[in-house]
Amino acid sequence: MITHAAWHAATVSTVAAETRNARRITLDIADWPGNAAGQHVDVRLTAEDGYQASRSYSLASAGPSTSVELAVDKVASGEVSPFLVDELQVGDQLEVHGPLGGWFVWRPGDPSGRPVQLIAGGSGVVPMAAMVRAHRDAADPTPFRLLYAVRSPDDVFFVAELARETSDDEADAVRVDFVYSRKAPAGDDRPPGRLTMERLAELVFPESQHPRIFVCGATPFVEQVLTWLKELGHDVDDVRAERFGGA
């Protein structure tokens, strides 16, 4: 899929709580050209006095549909995300620039057959969700694993979809591993705690399998994971990473 980014008029078609601090937003964009899993957009807001602010958000959806999905985590000190999470209503109009990005992208049908390891911190799971969806929609046989580091079960994005993956016995299902830093669900056999290099090594494809690796999260999380991957023998020049800060 080769597309050229452009500004588009978007209409909010649905909004729903994603977590206690995040919201899922579906936008209808009549002239949307489609997007690959992992791409992002710039969302621009314009105030009544003409002031404009824009921020980048990963797309949780992929494919040719003109309905695209975002999952926005509210940053209390942010300028755009509080409005998107607390104020945006169905029927509101936004401006969206995209689709953007050609590096942090996964497409079905990779002839290399290399397994794919996704590593997400917090809301960094959003582009990973698009990849998991694209993997399932295409019934792609590539082995997929997702390591999701998150504070607690209440902070997990895409709960139902990830639960479906973990409960599916089909060979093309995605293995999902959670690392809870603050609170683990009842019955979880791992105590809560931050991700460590030892747990990372336990929960990702080993270097000997030459996985393609995608990492997304806050900058300190991504930098730490990249350091550990290098220490575990992975070629970090082959790792695709996206970082984010306040929005």
Side-chain angles (χ1 to χ4, degrees):
M1 181 186 300
I2 299 176
T3 59
H4 298 284
W7 282 101
H8 306 271
T11 303
V12 180
S13 59
T14 67
V15 293
E18 183 67 25
T19 71
R20 55 192 172 186
N21 197 56
R23 199 183 208 190
R24 196 181 301 202
I25 301 166
T26 306
L27 303 172
D28 287 336
I29 307 175
D31 58 348
W32 185 248
N35 65 276
Q39 288 191 292
H40 65 278
V41 294
D42 289 339
V43 175
R44 184 164 67 189
L45 306 178
T46 303
E48 292 183 357
D49 63 0
Y51 174 75
Q52 293 185 324
S54 64
R55 294 291 186 277
S56 296
Y57 293 99
S58 296
L59 291 159
S61 53
S65 174
T66 56
S67 178
V68 304
E69 194 171 272
L70 309 176
V72 178
D73 196 29
K74 182 170 70 174
V75 178
S77 59
E79 189 174 26
V80 174
S81 63
F83 175 82
L84 297 179
V85 173
D86 295 332
E87 305 294 335
L88 193 71
Q89 300 295 322
V90 172
D92 284 351
Q93 303 284 316
L94 299 174
E95 292 178 285
V96 172
H97 186 231
L100 301 170
W103 169 249
F104 195 83
V105 163
W106 179 81
R107 293 181 173 86
D110 179 2
S112 74
R114 296 169 61 189
V116 171
Q117 179 68 56
L118 311 175
I119 303 173
S123 60
V125 76
V126 176
M128 313 300 194
M131 296 180 190
V132 170
R133 288 173 168 181
H135 181 264
R136 174 172 283 272
D137 290 346
D140 189 278
T142 303
F144 248 59
R145 294 180 68 167
L146 167 63
L147 169 56
Y148 187 5
V150 63
R151 289 185 177 184
S152 76
D154 292 336
D155 297 300
V156 172
F157 284 49
F158 310 103
V159 170
E161 290 166 81
L162 297 183
R164 181 177 63 178
E165 294 294 334
T166 56
S167 62
D168 194 337
D169 293 330
E170 295 295 324
D172 57 357
V174 175
R175 171 173 166 173
V176 182
D177 294 292
F178 294 94
V179 174
Y180 298 100
S181 61
R182 301 282 182 85
K183 177 185 177 183
D188 194 287
D189 58 358
R190 296 190 182 102
R194 289 185 177 276
L195 182 66
T196 64
M197 187 171 75
E198 290 72 24
R199 296 185 81 178
L200 183 76
E202 174 191 351
L203 298 174
V204 303
F205 287 113
E207 183 279 335
S208 60
Q209 294 189 36
H210 305 294
R212 297 180 62 197
I213 302 177
F214 296 83
V215 186
C216 185
T219 297
F221 173 86
V222 171
E223 293 301 324
Q224 184 62 78
V225 168
L226 292 177
T227 297
W228 287 335
L229 289 172
K230 184 176 182 178
E231 293 180 20
L232 292 170
H234 294 275
D235 181 1
V236 294
D237 291 335
D238 196 33
V239 177
R240 303 187 180 195
E242 282 211 337
R243 307 159 177 81
F244 57 74

